[in-house]
Amino acid sequence: MRYVVAFFFPWLSLMLQGKIVSGIICLLLQITIIGWIPAFIWAVTALNRMYADRRTNKIIRKMKKS
């Protein structure tokens, strides 16, 4: 679902991740037709990074418990 939001509203996807300044810059990019493509790529990359950070934190927590 987050990827659908990232496709149609890249700025909203970044803001939902807590990246307010990045979301505003992304909104400015999305206003132009040419800038929409980099904004979409930026939002998807940020989503992938967020999921990778979650996996890493989960692994670190499990390693600390062991």
Side-chain angles (χ1 to χ4, degrees):
M1 187 61 171
R2 286 187 183 245
Y3 287 103
V4 174
V5 172
F7 182 76
F8 291 109
F9 305 107
W11 60 272
L12 182 60
S13 174
L14 289 170
M15 287 194 178
L16 289 175
Q17 294 177 40
K19 301 176 180 181
I20 305 300
V21 176
S22 297
I24 293 169
I25 295 170
C26 192
L27 177 62
L28 294 174
L29 273 174
Q30 190 180 359
I31 289 172
T32 64
I33 298 299
I34 296 172
W36 181 82
I37 294 169
F40 164 67
I41 293 170
W42 185 7
V44 169
T45 304
L47 271 177
N48 288 337
R49 193 174 327 124
M50 179 188 73
Y51 289 133
D53 289 344
R54 283 185 184 176
R55 282 192 307 268
T56 303
N57 290 337
K58 185 177 177 182
I59 291 169
I60 290 171
R61 280 194 309 270
K62 286 186 177 185
M63 289 177 69
K64 286 183 178 179
K65 286 183 181 180
S66 296

